[in-house]
Amino acid sequence: MVKVDLITGFLGSGKTTFIRKYAQYLMDAGKNIGILENDYGAVNVDMMLLQDLMGDNCELEMISGGCDKDCHRRRFKTKLIAMGMCGYDRVIVEPSGIFDVDEFFDILHEEPLNRWYQIGNVIAIVDSKLESDLSDEADFILASEVADAGCIVMSKSQDASPEEIQGTIEHVNHALEKVHCSRRFGKDFDGSDEAGVRNNVIHKNWNEMSKEDFDQIADCGYEMASYRKPEFEAEDAFTSLYFMNVKMTEKELREAAEKILSDSECGRVFRMKGFMRVDSDSEDGSGLSAWAECDRRQWIELNATKNEITIRPLHVGQEVLIVIGEELQEEKIKSYLKI
């Protein structure tokens, strides 16, 4: 049977970055893997960020978004059926940041997938500097993503203080308590139980993770924890806005992202991501010409949350910027993007 791992995590937690490292670990171990990018959005930016992993031992697949939940579920199952015939040793599923984890378990227990696939691990990625004042809808999504996880892997822990890390763990446990889930997480990953707290949280600089660290993650498994679903549809509280062909300099893009993420009149923005082309000798003196001496038009990638805004060069891209959050105000966001 093919093992399938689910990598969960709230918006902007770092799932795609983790998958790059986890996939490389599996390939280094001689595994033939498939990665399924499973997003509700009509444009799958994250899949483009994994293109360089493709090769003899790694293939990428995606589910096209822009459909309702029932259609998305059918497409998810159909894609897994097709991938089940490809001879993979491991399939990695990366859902959206507001994915209903129950869909993953339900589909894998249906025919014929229950004969082809074995659920390996549920790995939850959590930002070490998680916002403390999330809405009830966001807290539910967070709780549902970690409830069944074999372990939590904290992102950007090298940039967080011990107090921030502990505060994030307490927030996760409080979110689980709010949905009447008995699971609780501790600070260290050593497999022991202490006062009812499973110490299955990894908080380590990802660039310093050893093979042994990934061995533990790849063997963390999952749990079938029960929790109470709210009366509201949590996923419906989140929306995405897509902006094509935005024309700005890198400096202007960074400034616009900072304003959109901090201005409450834009709504509650959790994540901005996407690609844009800029002149390599742009007027802001950003140094893009050093990235591409032979090409005046340079692709850049934006990956932004309230805690961090990253802009980096890429060889390829697609002219789209995506804003994800709650109660988004499109016209205000457009004003910052100069559309």
Side-chain angles (χ1 to χ4, degrees):
M1 298 179 78
V2 180
K3 279 196 173 184
V4 56
D5 293 341
L6 178 68
I7 314 297
T8 70
F10 193 61
L11 297 165
S13 60
K15 296 188 300 297
T16 305
T17 302
F18 173 78
I19 284 175
R20 291 181 61 85
K21 296 181 178 297
Y22 186 57
Q24 191 61 58
Y25 155 80
L26 291 172
M27 287 189 286
D28 289 346
K31 304 295 184 183
N32 182 29
I33 67 172
I35 300 175
L36 177 56
E37 286 290 324
N38 174 25
D39 205 334
Y40 286 116
V43 180
N44 199 315
V45 169
D46 294 335
M47 183 171 178
M48 298 186 69
L49 300 177
L50 298 172
Q51 290 293 320
D52 62 323
L53 289 174
M54 290 184 67
D56 293 340
N57 298 107
C58 180
E59 295 183 2
L60 303 180
E61 298 287 348
M62 69 170 285
I63 300 171
S64 57
C67 58
D68 60 39
K69 288 184 178 180
D70 289 338
C71 176
H72 179 271
R73 181 187 177 103
R74 289 194 300 272
R75 290 179 179 180
F76 186 21
K77 182 176 181 179
T78 300
K79 184 63 71 173
L80 284 173
I81 289 173
M83 294 180 74
M85 302 176 184
C86 294
Y88 298 123
D89 299 305
R90 184 84 60 122
V91 168
I92 300 171
V93 176
E94 179 185 8
S96 75
I98 51 173
F99 176 73
D100 184 349
V101 177
D102 284 348
E103 178 181 319
F104 172 77
F105 287 103
D106 291 345
I107 287 177
L108 283 167
H109 283 96
E110 293 179 6
E111 289 279 352
L113 299 181
N114 59 349
R115 293 185 280 109
W116 297 354
Y117 287 99
Q118 174 187 357
I119 299 175
N121 306 293
V122 176
I123 302 164
I125 311 301
V126 177
D127 191 327
S128 295
K129 302 175 76 170
L130 183 71
E131 290 185 50
S132 60
D133 59 342
L134 296 179
S135 66
D136 288 340
E137 290 85 354
D139 265 345
F140 169 76
I141 294 294
L142 173 67
S144 68
E145 289 172 336
V146 303
D148 299 316
C151 73
I152 286 177
V153 180
M154 302 190 79
S155 62
K156 301 175 281 244
S157 58
Q158 68 273 16
D159 300 323
S161 68
E163 292 75 20
E164 286 174 320
I165 292 174
Q166 187 58 37
T168 293
I169 295 169
E170 290 172 0
H171 186 148
V172 168
N173 287 334
H174 179 62
L176 288 165
E177 184 180 3
K178 285 170 67 175
V179 298
H180 302 273
C181 179
S182 61
R183 296 263 344 249
R184 296 294 182 270
F185 289 88
K187 189 173 181 180
D188 300 310
F189 187 99
D190 60 10
S192 67
D193 288 331
E194 202 169 307
V197 176
R198 291 286 302 276
N199 294 325
N200 43 6
V201 177
I202 293 179
H203 53 100
K204 188 172 184 179
N205 186 334
W206 290 359
N207 293 326
E208 297 176 357
M209 280 189 178
S210 65
K211 176 182 177 299
E212 288 69 29
D213 292 324
F214 281 104
D215 285 345
Q216 290 181 310
I217 294 171
D219 195 36
C220 70
Y222 66 97
E223 294 200 12
M224 295 299 295
S226 62
Y227 55 88
R228 183 180 299 174
K229 289 199 171 186
E231 296 180 0
F232 55 81
E233 288 289 339
E235 295 88 348
D236 293 344
F238 299 87
T239 55
S240 301
L241 298 176
Y242 295 80
F243 302 100
M244 312 297 289
N245 301 314
V246 176
K247 306 298 183 185
M248 309 179 83
T249 65
E250 181 201 357
K251 181 180 179 182
E252 289 171 338
L253 178 61
R254 183 179 293 276
E255 291 174 349
E258 289 173 349
K259 292 173 181 177
I260 291 169
L261 286 159
S262 61
D263 187 351
S264 60
E265 292 187 13
C266 292
R268 185 154 196 183
V269 179
F270 288 106
R271 178 92 185 273
M272 292 182 65
K273 60 182 179 179
F275 309 99
M276 195 175 73
R277 291 200 83 169
V278 296
D279 287 337
S280 60
D281 53 352
S282 56
E283 64 189 28
D284 64 341
S286 61
L288 290 173
S289 57
W291 297 347
E293 293 289 344
C294 62
D295 187 358
R296 290 191 71 254
R297 298 294 289 169
Q298 170 68 47
W299 285 107
I300 59 174
E301 174 213 347
L302 170 70
N303 190 357
T305 64
K306 286 185 178 179
N307 292 329
E308 184 179 28
I309 297 176
T310 301
I311 298 177
R312 68 184 184 97
L314 288 177
H315 293 299
V316 295
Q318 179 179 353
E319 290 194 336
V320 59
L321 292 177
I322 305 174
V323 181
I324 310 171
E326 297 172 305
E327 300 179 352
L328 298 181
Q329 302 301 310
E330 185 171 0
E331 292 307 313
K332 186 64 177 181
I333 293 171
K334 280 184 174 179
S335 71
Y336 285 127
L337 294 175
K338 301 181 179 180
I339 300 174

